[in-house]
Amino acid sequence: MAEFRLHGPPGCGKSHALATRWVPKAAEKFGADNVVICSLTKTAASEIASRDLPIPKENVGTLHALAFRAMGRPTIAEGEVAEWNEREPMFRLGGGAPSVENPEVKKNEKATTGDDLMALAQVYRHNRTPRSQWRDDVASFQRRWDAWLHETGYMDFTGLIERAVDLPCAPGAPSVFVVDEAQDCSVVELDLVRRWSEQAEYAVLAGDGDQAIYGWRGASVKAFLGGEIPEENNYHLTQSYRVPHAVHKAASEWISRASYRYAVEYKPRDFGGEVTTSRGNAKNVEPLIDDIRADLDAGKSVMLLATCGYMLRNAIAVLRREGVPFANPFRPAHGGWNPLRGGAGKMRAYLRPDAQTYGERARVWTWREAAVWTEVLQSRGVLRPSAKTMIRQQAEMDERGDEVIGEADGRACFGESWDGLRAAFETGDPVDWLAERLLASKAKLMDYAINIAKKSGRAELAEDPRLCVGTVHSVKGGQSDVVYLLPDLSRSGMREWTRPGEGRDSIIRTFYVGMTRAKEKLVVCGRWSPASIDWRPSTT
């Protein structure tokens, strides 16, 4: 087996190079059935294989998914936590369980003591830390967990990887093993990759050690970069197609502070760019939001990033109050970062006849659209008796659901309110009409959409938000014109920052990833507590 490494700094098109050159050549030489593509998430792996490549679906996914198949699809212990909690109430688990298709999912903010102990146990196991070096409380938890696994026959998430190492090859015995974002793999995961690759012709590990930010799940940049391979087996992508000169200079100076790295030549794109500061910070967010709105008004896409989700709460509260649309398309399941999913969808359906919202596309509602927004509407004094039932029934009919509601049907549903509703769209304010007639139980659901319509303009509701809010980890792989980066750390993060070596390096890499999402401008925000990074070079 020959191991190759493809090193790709931010914006250099690593995944594109895999999809358009490396994988097609491997498929041509060995056959598409003999190529396996892995990444931290199935989505990332699928993006590489989606370029009209005939790679079989079962050959594309996460390492955990491959191990799950190789081990005979065992019952995963993390999916049986109710049983565990009944057995071990002192170590009950309540955090988000990972899946074989998305191993990067972190525990939620309401995690229990058991979640904390389990998370640390996973890191120990992923790094192959001898049990004698474990913290006592973590070792105690793991002994009970091991006993439960033994009794039930379940296999836990990390156990999939640990046990699969004993197998001689991956399912299907592929000739080529491609691992994207290999810097995010742990010691035991890379042990598995290299073990399975022994029976293959080639292993391609693509990644960037400077972007290794998943230490919380046991990822090890040294495992990726360690091990002797011929220098000619190291391939470098050097030209960024995203990061401009000013941001490149700041980010390069910042990452140079890391004590351990594999530095490659890295060129910025041909654009000056800008690095500046914001008047606001994580506590005093109004000036920060004003600056963000100015960039949005200039037509820019914007990211507001932090190292931990709770650091964004103040900003999110102001964004909602001021009606600034935001989302996080990289984490669509995160409700706090995607508040438009419920109320905004109903408001968009309601505003379908509004020219200010839809322009030339404005038209009367279909039955399905009416069914969406009338759910939040009070019936008394607004709708005819049983009108909601009628609307819903019409919406569920295949031949009627997408039919535009006519004048007669409108009056049959709304009665005398029909004229007032039409007048609100023609000469009044349709948002006020709806807001004054909401069910009390739906007011909270709709308040953000109403704020957007009143303060940012109804047209904003018809478009995808250009502001992305989230953690640095959540947007890895993404980009925007402007990035606002908060310098704050959690208490545990601050402890890491004060320790030379890997602890500090992990913090440096996290901020480096945040910086290099910027296509035009990087805004480094101000400190507000001792647990914040001081961006000035003199502090490090």
Side-chain angles (χ1 to χ4, degrees):
M1 182 272 293
E3 179 177 319
F4 294 86
R5 295 178 195 160
L6 176 62
H7 302 272
C12 287
K14 172 174 53 60
S15 296
H16 179 78
L18 288 175
T20 59
R21 297 197 297 275
W22 289 69
V23 172
K25 287 181 179 179
E28 180 180 356
K29 182 173 183 179
F30 297 100
D33 290 350
N34 289 312
V35 179
V36 163
I37 303 172
C38 292
S39 191
L40 182 59
T41 66
K42 183 177 181 179
T43 300
S46 297
E47 287 175 358
I48 297 172
S50 65
R51 312 281 181 113
D52 296 324
L53 300 174
I55 308 298
K57 184 184 298 185
E58 60 271 19
N59 286 16
V60 179
T62 66
L63 191 61
H64 287 80
L66 287 175
F68 180 67
R69 285 173 47 209
M71 297 305 299
R73 302 178 184 274
T75 299
I76 301 300
E78 286 88 344
E80 309 296 329
V81 293
E83 181 181 329
W84 164 262
N85 289 344
E86 184 176 353
R87 171 191 169 107
E88 299 285 355
M90 289 185 61
F91 293 114
R92 69 178 305 275
L93 300 173
S99 86
V100 294
E101 304 294 7
N102 191 19
E104 67 171 334
V105 171
K106 298 177 75 171
K107 62 190 175 85
N108 62 34
E109 294 177 8
K110 297 181 180 179
T112 66
T113 299
D115 289 318
D116 292 336
L117 294 173
M118 185 176 208
L120 188 50
Q122 306 306 307
V123 174
Y124 285 145
R125 292 168 66 188
H126 272 280
N127 283 316
R128 293 199 181 280
T129 304
R131 193 70 67 94
S132 61
Q133 297 177 20
W134 287 29
R135 213 171 70 188
D136 289 344
D137 55 346
V138 180
S140 176
F141 167 87
Q142 189 64 41
R143 283 192 295 270
R144 293 173 181 266
W145 182 258
D146 288 340
W148 181 59
L149 296 181
H150 179 74
E151 291 174 16
T152 60
Y154 300 154
M155 191 175 296
D156 71 1
F157 202 61
T158 303
L160 285 174
I161 305 297
E162 293 171 327
R163 300 276 292 277
V165 171
D166 295 330
L167 302 178
C169 63
S175 300
V176 181
F177 214 91
V178 178
V179 182
D180 192 21
E181 304 296 351
Q183 80 280 346
D184 295 329
C185 291
S186 67
V187 172
V188 70
E189 287 168 343
L190 284 170
D191 282 349
L192 176 58
V193 168
R194 286 168 173 142
R195 164 66 168 159
W196 280 356
S197 298
E198 289 174 1
Q199 305 301 318
E201 297 287 338
Y202 299 101
V204 180
L205 305 185
D208 177 18
D210 287 343
Q211 296 184 77
I213 61 173
Y214 285 95
W216 54 266
R217 63 173 295 271
S220 171
V221 65
K222 291 184 178 180
F224 165 54
L225 296 175
E228 294 293 330
I229 66 170
E231 186 54 37
E232 61 267 24
N233 286 13
N234 280 300
Y235 287 79
H236 302 165
L237 299 173
T238 61
Q239 179 62 60
S240 181
Y241 300 98
R242 175 199 307 149
V243 183
H245 281 270
V247 177
H248 177 275
K249 181 175 184 295
S252 296
E253 290 176 353
W254 177 260
I255 194 62
S256 69
R257 305 177 187 189
S259 64
Y260 179 86
R261 58 190 299 253
Y262 179 90
V264 304
E265 183 183 7
Y266 181 35
K267 304 172 185 176
R269 74 181 179 99
D270 188 18
F271 182 78
E274 180 183 4
V275 177
T276 185
T277 59
S278 171
R279 298 168 292 156
N281 54 44
K283 189 173 184 179
N284 180 29
V285 297
E286 280 80 3
L288 177 61
I289 302 306
D290 288 343
D291 290 345
I292 289 174
R293 291 201 76 153
D295 286 319
L296 293 171
D297 290 344
K300 305 299 183 182
S301 59
V302 180
M303 284 181 175
L304 173 59
L305 305 179
T307 58
C308 296
Y310 72 85
M311 298 168 183
L312 296 164
R313 289 174 183 164
N314 289 343
I316 287 173
V318 175
L319 289 170
R320 291 181 64 109
R321 186 189 73 206
E322 295 302 315
V324 181
F326 69 92
N328 189 319
F330 306 98
R331 292 293 183 277
H334 194 299
W337 297 342
N338 294 279
L340 287 169
R341 292 181 303 181
K346 297 183 187 304
M347 183 65 80
R348 277 194 287 263
Y350 168 68
L351 291 173
R352 190 70 242 196
D354 181 43
Q356 189 178 121
T357 305
Y358 287 99
E360 294 181 354
R361 296 177 294 152
R363 55 161 172 74
V364 177
W365 312 280
T366 64
W367 288 106
R368 285 197 177 93
E369 289 164 345
V372 169
W373 69 266
T374 54
E375 284 183 358
V376 300
L377 192 65
Q378 59 182 254
S379 294
R380 180 176 294 182
V382 182
L383 292 165
R384 298 285 295 273
S386 302
K388 284 190 180 181
T389 300
M390 174 186 172
I391 293 170
R392 185 171 61 251
Q393 289 173 342
Q394 298 297 311
E396 291 171 353
M397 296 172 62
D398 291 339
E399 66 274 17
R400 292 277 281 168
D402 292 325
E403 183 180 301
V404 171
I405 297 174
E407 179 76 13
D409 285 328
R411 292 190 180 280
C413 293
F414 287 88
E416 295 179 0
S417 298
W418 181 249
D419 289 333
L421 176 58
R422 293 187 59 179
F425 279 93
E426 293 169 1
T427 60
D429 187 330
V431 176
D432 283 344
W433 189 95
L434 181 66
E436 292 165 2
R437 293 163 177 81
L438 287 174
L439 287 166
S441 61
K442 301 297 183 180
K444 185 175 181 180
L445 172 68
M446 299 300 295
D447 65 353
Y448 181 42
I450 291 171
N451 284 344
I452 292 174
K454 302 294 283 185
K455 297 183 178 182
S456 294
R458 302 198 290 271
E460 290 289 337
L461 288 163
E463 307 294 335
D464 291 332
R466 285 179 289 110
L467 172 60
C468 174
V469 175
T471 61
V472 173
H473 291 84
S474 75
V475 301
K476 189 169 179 287
Q479 62 182 16
S480 69
D481 297 328
V482 184
V483 169
Y484 286 78
L485 188 59
L486 296 173
D488 312 296
L489 297 172
S490 64
R491 283 181 293 181
S492 61
M494 200 64 196
R495 286 195 296 270
E496 293 295 304
W497 178 248
T498 59
R499 298 171 183 167
E502 177 56 27
R504 174 173 278 237
D505 284 358
S506 67
I507 303 298
I508 292 172
R509 290 194 295 266
T510 297
F511 284 117
Y512 175 74
V513 168
M515 292 175 178
T516 53
R517 302 310 94 195
K519 294 169 59 181
E520 297 181 9
K521 181 171 71 172
L522 169 66
V523 184
V524 288
C525 302
R527 307 176 75 213
W528 69 276
S529 79
S532 301
I533 295 296
D534 190 329
W535 300 111
R536 293 174 298 180
S538 61
T539 63
T540 58

